[in-house]
Every structure is written in structure tokens, then in C-alpha cells.
Amino acid sequence: MVSEDYTDRELMVTTAAREIEDGETAFVSMRLPLIAFQVAVSTHAPNAMAVYESGVIRDAPADGFIHTMCDLPNLNRAVATTGMIDIMSRLQRGDIDVGFLGGAEIDRYGNLNTTRVAAADREIRLPGSGGACDIACMADRTVLLMPHESRRFAEEVNYVTSPGYPADGNGRDDHPAPGGGPSALVTSKATFGFDERGELYLRTVHPGADVAGVLAAFPWEVQTADDVGEGTVKTTSEPTDEELELVRTFDPDGFWT
Amino acid sequence: MTANMEPLDVAVSRINTGSTIAAGLALEHAIPFAVGHELLRQGVGELTVVGPISDLLFDQLIGGGAVSDVRAAWVGNVSAGTGYRFREAVENGEVTVEDHSNFSIALALQAGAMGVPYLPTRSLLGSDIFERNDRFTEATDPFGGEPLVLVPALKPDWAIVHAQRASPDGDVHLWGNTGIVEPAVGAAENVLVTAEEIVEPAVIKSDSSRVAITRDQVTSVVECPFGAHPSPVTGCYNRDNDYYLRYNRQTETANGFEDWASKWVYGVSGREEYATFVDTDLEITEPTVAAEVQYGQ
């Protein structure tokens, strides 16, 4: 167990890292997943691989801090430095087990918006998709990472940049996108799963958070593990000492965490 | 046919106002910032910029008033998130944006490179990138019956690439991740290559497997050391992370951008003078050398 404090984002990283299983190929996107893959491959998933949309393929942590997937420590001693058609083709073939996505807004079916949000009297332009739409459409499953802020939870997102599940309750069965859809949402206060109809439900709350407080941030009545027959809402596992040390090795100045 | 080896300003003067240019093709790696700044100095305008993740290059071109249209998957500052000049220009209606995913922009260029009118994909379906763009068409796979999106070919007037080395003839070695360099070079009418180093043709021919672009594809080749700063170039220099964070703070307002540009873009004659402003140590700390490869006969 841990004897020291950790930040919300450090817990998000270690929780995301545990979503990568040994032997899997992960599509690693910017920010926290850059650190999460390195933690996973250093702990429980030594045979995991990472692909990045720039063309980089890695099987080991970078030997220096990385702001972006193209920082030289991430290219140095990579397995391969190829191109985007190669990486996206692997994704389209169905070879990517898990992808990571963030968003400015999310709805109850895991649809994500990173393109434009409505503010009080105007629309705020955001950077856009990058590879997020492709990952959302074609990865076997996706893990979503977001700060736990009520403005980010929307009955209807302003723009579907990265599709989750349709609102018809049929999950991805009738959905044209070939991927499996979101399997988990990790916020700064809790973790969520998606039921067979594709609707979000509360799975665990992070240490120090409580269920009522977590759910109060949502504009709809969020299901819990109890509602979908998965027992009760538990407490998220804390980072181990080893995991925390790794996070701080890979992000020594806490830039991302 | 060989490329024109010429100074940066001469090469950039070939790019006309109103052109469509593809740049930032290796994503955050080897971004051709030197060309971008020269475009601003020469006052080239009404550009349509095409790319995947532009990481500041498009923000700078937009801030300098050079852009009318953006066809891209992501425009911002990867370290800091927001590109304020892009955001404000879109919100004020000064530039139009055709939203893409990384794969759709890659496929549009790949179709252009392959000489086919479109390529199909299983991405985009169910997204507003598809729903809100008339250029994409949904179709049914005539063989298997599955739904597909058809992405029409895109043939930019120019692809702009920064590389480690090139011959005076325009044969180009580049290494590190390539993003969508190959499809963009294949699709473009003209290619401008800036290289850290111009080398003897024999150096290029000593390692044919590393040749990514051949002379017949290239219009202009320019020797331009440090031409990708602040982005990293494999084997040459690291990413200048502080620059990205400083730029984010300095360019939140249009006036802030003007101040920034008056120093870094308009206040210098070219890349050599620009380099004197950079005092961060970007030297690579582990100069990994590839094991020798033998070719022969």
C-alpha cells in the first residue's frame, strides 16, 4: 500500500495503465496515456506494445520525459518508426486491442466531443479529433480519461468527434463503426463502465470521493454497479508504491500528472 | 528531372497566394517552421493549409494572416492544448475549417498519391466529422455489403517536408516517424524540401533504403539547418518544450502574437539569425548510431 499522497492524475494514470493487459497492443494518444503505457509495460504487461499515430511503435518505456509521442526519447530505440497509413491500417484491420481517448464533453453513451463546445453566448473552438475519431471507431475497446467536472458531462454533446454507443440502446450491434466502443471511463474522482446497452454506470469511486458527490456532477441520473447487476460501487484501487515511483520516473516534474 | 537547389526565400517565392499547402506531415516531428516563417515574411496569403496534427505551425500561419481555409484533424499546441490564433480566427469567422480525422486526411492524400478518385474507410461512421462534411460519402461495400465512407482524393499544390539530408539533385534521406509524409509527397503537385544538410549524391546512394523522396518528386531543395525548431529532428536536436509553453502564454491575444512575430518572424532575415535567439540546450544526449548495413553485389 502507499504511504504517501498522490495526485488525482497520478491515480488516473495508474488506473488507465491497468486497463492494458499483458500481450495487448495499445493505441497510445497524448497526455496521460503516454505515461500510462510506460507504467503498464514496466509492471503487469511486459509484453504489451504501443502504437502511436505518428508511426512510432514501442515495446518499452522511453528513456526520458516525453511531452509528445514524437519527442526523441520516444523515437530512440523504438521497435519501428513508420507512418500513419501503417498504424491506422492496423487499427482498421482490427489489430488494436485498446485505445485511449480524452474529451471536453461526454454523454451517457460515451460519445466524445473535442471539436467545439457551446459557452454562454458563443461557441468555443477546440483543437479537433486528431486520431481520436479513428480510435473510437475502430479499436476493439476504448478507455476514456477526463477530469471530473460537471461542465464536461452533457445530455447531448455539441459535436460527436469520437462516437461511443448510439442512443437506441443496442450497443454497437447496429452501429456502422467496426470497433467495440468504450469499455471504461476514468475521471479524477471515479471509474465507470458501460452496460450492454452502452450506457455509462458508476463502477468505483476514488479514495476520498463519495458516490453522491460523484454523481452530482451529472445532468442525468447515472446508473451504478448495483443497477446493472455488478454488485456495489467499490473504492478504486490506489496506486502501489511501485506504480507511483514509475509515474514519477516517467513524468519527473509532474508536467502531465 | 532534378530539383532546384536554392535559398529558402527563392524556394518559398514559388508558392503563390491562394495555394493549398500540406505541412506538418510527420506530426510533432520535423515540422517545417522555417518555411512557415518565410511564407509570413513574404506575405503569401489566402492559403489552404492541409495536415494531420499541425502543432503550432498552422496557428502561426493563421496568426500572421496567411490562411483562409484549414483542412486538418487537429490544430493547437500539443504541450499546452489551445492554439489561440486558430481558435480566435475560427470563432471570428476569419478562417473556415473542414474537420478531418487523422486517418481521413491521410486517406485523402493517399488517394491523391495513388491516382484514384477516393479511398474507402471504416472510420468516421457515426461521427459529426462525417455528418457535417458534404465531401464524404457513405457507400455500401459492393462485395461484402458493409457500410463504408468514401474519402475523396486531395492533391495539394505543395507538400512541405523537413528532412535530415538531401542531395543537391533532390533525393532525400529522412528517418524517424513519417506520419503522412509519403502520401502527401505522392499527392502534391510540387514538393519543397528543407534539409538539415545537403550531402553528396554518393551519400544518398550509399543507403537507398533510407530514401523517402526522389528528385523527380521535388521542386525545390533548400539547405536549412535548424529548420524545424522548435520541433525535434531525429539525430539532430530535441524538442524545445519551453518554446511551446512560452508561445502559448505570449500569443493569447492578437497583440501578443504581433509582439511574438515581430521578434521571431519579421525581426530576422532568415533561419541563421533566428537560431541566435535560441539559447536552450537541445543537443541529443544519446546519439544512437544505427548498426552498419551492408549492401553489395
Side-chain angles (χ1 to χ4, degrees):
Chain A
M1 290 305 294
V2 276
S3 54
E4 54 181 325
D5 288 339
Y6 48 86
T7 68
D8 288 344
R9 287 190 287 183
E10 285 175 331
L11 176 64
M12 289 171 76
V13 166
T14 58
T15 305
R18 292 172 190 180
E19 295 286 334
I20 301 172
E21 292 175 23
D22 195 22
E24 287 195 324
T25 302
F27 201 119
V28 176
S29 48
M30 283 300 299
R31 297 175 180 259
L32 301 185
L34 289 175
I35 312 298
F37 168 74
Q38 302 187 85
V39 172
V41 81
S42 304
T43 54
H44 65 279
N47 301 303
M49 293 268 281
V51 301
Y52 306 78
E53 61 213 12
S54 60
V56 177
I57 303 173
R58 282 198 80 78
D59 67 349
D63 60 358
F65 174 64
I66 46 177
H67 278 84
T68 89
M69 58 187 157
C70 296
D71 280 16
L72 298 193
N74 207 42
L75 272 60
N76 200 23
R77 301 188 187 281
V79 172
T81 53
T82 171
M84 188 188 289
I85 295 280
D86 181 341
I87 300 299
M88 291 295 184
S89 299
R90 296 177 190 218
L91 178 66
Q92 189 162 253
R93 263 173 54 104
D95 289 347
I96 305 302
D97 299 297
V98 58
F100 293 90
L101 302 167
E105 283 184 331
I106 185 171
D107 70 14
R108 73 168 78 197
Y109 299 107
N111 294 289
L112 291 172
N113 173 17
T114 53
T115 302
R116 50 202 204 203
V117 293
D121 55 349
R122 64 191 184 103
E123 214 172 52
I124 296 173
R125 174 68 209 202
L126 304 172
S129 164
C133 176
D134 308 310
I135 298 169
C137 285
M138 301 191 292
D140 285 356
R141 68 179 193 279
T142 56
V143 174
L144 319 180
L145 297 167
M146 288 175 74
H148 199 96
E149 298 168 351
S150 58
R151 66 190 171 118
R152 295 176 182 273
F153 305 129
E155 277 285 4
E156 193 172 352
V157 294
N158 200 41
Y159 186 103
V160 178
T161 311
S162 303
Y165 297 100
D168 62 11
N170 289 326
R172 281 280 183 116
D173 290 350
D174 305 328
H175 197 272
S183 65
L185 164 68
V186 179
T187 76
S188 45
K189 284 194 165 54
T191 74
F192 301 79
F194 291 84
D195 71 12
E196 57 188 19
R197 297 164 42 259
E199 187 174 334
L200 197 70
Y201 69 91
L202 179 61
R203 192 181 265 161
T204 71
V205 294
H206 299 344
D210 64 88
V211 172
V214 163
L215 297 184
F218 290 82
W220 70 88
E221 197 172 326
V222 176
Q223 308 179 98
T224 67
D226 189 42
D227 299 325
V228 300
E230 279 212 358
T232 55
V233 176
K234 298 188 174 70
T235 303
T236 313
S237 299
E238 295 189 298
T240 64
D241 286 338
E242 183 194 11
E243 287 170 332
L244 260 191
E245 192 180 318
L246 287 165
V247 171
R248 290 168 187 179
T249 300
F250 301 135
D251 187 11
D253 298 324
F255 185 82
W256 292 126
T257 57
Chain B
M1 194 173 73
T2 61
N4 301 292
M5 188 179 147
E6 53 200 3
L8 182 64
D9 56 349
V10 176
V12 169
S13 73
R14 296 175 183 276
I15 301 176
N16 299 322
T17 285
S19 298
T20 298
I21 65 167
L25 304 164
L27 286 81
E28 298 95 347
H29 181 235
I31 300 171
F33 279 102
V35 173
H37 293 185
E38 185 60 27
L39 282 165
L40 291 178
R41 278 192 291 273
Q42 294 192 15
V44 182
E46 302 291 318
L47 295 172
T48 296
V49 290
V50 172
I53 290 173
S54 83
D55 201 3
L56 281 200
L57 176 62
F58 290 178
D59 194 69
Q60 294 180 354
L61 288 171
I62 291 167
V67 176
S68 58
D69 300 287
V70 176
R71 300 175 74 176
W74 196 97
V75 182
N77 178 332
V78 170
S79 302
T82 303
Y84 289 109
R85 297 302 94 221
F86 163 70
R87 182 169 131 178
E88 192 173 292
V90 176
E91 291 173 7
N92 293 342
E94 291 158 11
V95 299
T96 64
V97 184
E98 179 179 304
D99 282 307
H100 277 264
S101 74
N102 271 343
F103 197 29
S104 72
I105 206 81
L107 287 173
L109 293 166
Q110 181 72 24
M114 292 172 72
V116 295
Y118 61 85
L119 281 171
T121 178
R122 306 192 71 192
S123 188
L124 302 185
L125 293 164
S127 76
D128 280 333
I129 296 173
F130 172 75
E131 296 293 338
R132 302 194 199 184
N133 185 338
D134 293 338
R135 218 184 287 264
F136 301 124
T137 299
E138 185 168 350
T140 303
D141 168 19
F143 302 103
E146 295 290 312
L148 295 167
V149 172
L150 309 185
V151 179
L154 172 54
K155 297 177 186 176
D157 298 309
W158 287 87
I160 299 166
V161 177
H162 188 74
Q164 284 91 347
R165 62 193 183 203
S167 75
D169 293 339
D171 298 322
V172 180
H173 271 184
L174 62 82
W175 58 97
N177 68 270
T178 57
I180 60 169
V181 168
E182 287 105 336
V185 165
E189 187 69 27
N190 301 281
V191 174
L192 194 174
V193 174
T194 53
E196 288 291 321
E197 191 183 7
I198 299 296
V199 297
E200 291 296 322
V203 173
I204 301 294
K205 283 193 171 174
S206 75
D207 194 358
S208 313
S209 296
R210 209 177 302 279
V211 175
I213 305 171
T214 56
R215 67 189 78 167
D216 52 300
Q217 298 175 292
V218 177
T219 304
S220 296
V221 59
V222 175
E223 187 166 48
C224 190
F226 216 46
H229 175 271
S231 67
V233 177
T234 311
C236 299
Y237 42 87
N238 273 297
R239 187 172 195 266
D240 188 348
N241 292 308
D242 290 341
Y243 172 105
Y244 286 87
L245 301 176
R246 278 201 314 273
Y247 178 89
N248 180 255
R249 290 192 296 271
Q250 289 172 354
T251 63
E252 194 167 347
T253 64
N255 285 340
F257 179 84
E258 292 305 322
D259 290 346
W260 174 86
S262 67
K263 175 184 174 183
W264 290 92
V265 179
Y266 304 110
V268 297
S269 54
R271 209 59 180 174
E272 206 169 319
E273 191 177 354
Y274 169 100
T276 64
F277 292 166
V278 180
D279 55 6
T280 313
D281 180 9
L282 303 174
E283 204 171 328
I284 53 176
T285 51
E286 191 189 338
T288 313
V289 178
E292 187 177 65
V293 173
Q294 290 199 8
Y295 296 91
Q297 59 182 4

